[in-house]
Amino acid sequence: MYIKNHLIFCCSLIIFLIKILNLLNINYNIWCITIVALFFSIFPDIDHPRSYIGYKFKIISYLLFYFFKHRTITHSLFFLFIIFNIIIYLNFFFILDLNIIIGIYVGYISHILADMITNRGIYFLWPCKYKFRIPFLYLFINRNKEFYFCIFLFIISVILYFYF
Ligand SMILES: [Zn+2]
């Protein structure tokens, strides 16, 4: 999925999240969550040298692509587990802001869900070679329709936010 579509998809998820946090009366910093989430919504594509983020971190990107290929390790449950452990490790030295942790997970999950909508799917249980795609939906969403689907989701999330 293209970077702009990932960003739009992530914004929809953030709107859903804000609604839930408001309903639960939980304090949050919307700017912190949004900035971190948007960054992590494009981060998993670091495994592709021609992606926006891969272009910025060329060496890491080429290594990941060479050893693992695209949509494998960085798009997997295994990597979410690694991030979880890094967060716990960092918390030994300084307490990480909860907004940052929420942002990381919202961004990451938004990327994984968005890629699962597309035809190419992801290897979520990497190293298992099973391709995860959202049933039926992926049959209709090709590269050209991705953008319209993301815009559609965004509009739905805004409507839900204001009317429920
Ligand atoms: Zn991806």
Side-chain angles (χ1 to χ4, degrees), residues 5 37 44 47-48 79 83 101 112 141:
N5 299 340
D47 65 357
H48 198 297
F79 207 78
I83 291 175
I101 298 173
I112 282 172
I141 310 291

Side-chain angles (χ1 to χ4, degrees), residues 17-156:
L17 176 79
I18 292 168
K19 187 74 186 175
I20 292 166
L21 292 177
N22 285 344
L23 288 173
L24 296 174
N25 262 328
I26 294 173
N27 285 328
Y28 58 87
N29 180 332
I30 181 60
W31 297 112
C32 182
I33 290 179
T34 303
I35 290 166
V36 176
L38 288 179
F39 175 77
F40 276 88
S41 76
I42 59 170
F43 180 77
D45 281 345
I46 196 167
D47 65 357
H48 198 297
R50 282 163 68 189
S51 69
Y52 177 83
I53 193 95
Y55 198 73
K56 301 276 178 210
F57 298 92
K58 273 194 183 122
I59 296 171
I60 300 172
S61 179
Y62 274 106
L63 288 173
L64 283 169
F65 191 72
Y66 180 77
F67 286 108
F68 304 108
K69 298 284 174 279
H70 186 38
R71 295 186 169 204
T72 57
I73 184 169
T74 60
H75 291 63
S76 68
L77 188 64
F78 176 70
F79 207 78
L80 281 172
F81 179 70
I82 292 174
I83 291 175
F84 176 74
N85 280 286
I86 291 172
I87 288 171
I88 289 183
Y89 180 74
L90 288 176
N91 260 317
F92 281 122
F93 301 103
F94 54 92
I95 303 298
L96 273 184
D97 191 313
L98 188 63
N99 292 291
I100 294 176
I101 298 173
I102 293 174
I104 291 172
Y105 275 97
V106 169
Y108 222 96
I109 289 166
S110 103
H111 187 101
I112 282 172
L113 284 176
D115 274 355
M116 277 166 72
I117 286 167
T118 64
N119 209 337
R120 283 155 297 148
I122 58 164
Y123 295 101
F124 186 61
L125 289 183
W126 181 91
C128 167
K129 289 274 183 221
Y130 181 78
K131 197 180 265 189
F132 281 78
R133 294 182 288 202
I134 294 178
F136 305 114
L137 201 55
Y138 75 86
L139 295 171
F140 306 104
I141 310 291
N142 57 29
R143 269 184 179 273
N144 301 323
K145 290 178 189 162
E146 278 175 16
F147 173 71
Y148 299 104
F149 183 77
C150 290
I151 290 288
F152 170 74
L153 267 187
F154 182 78
I155 292 168
I156 294 286

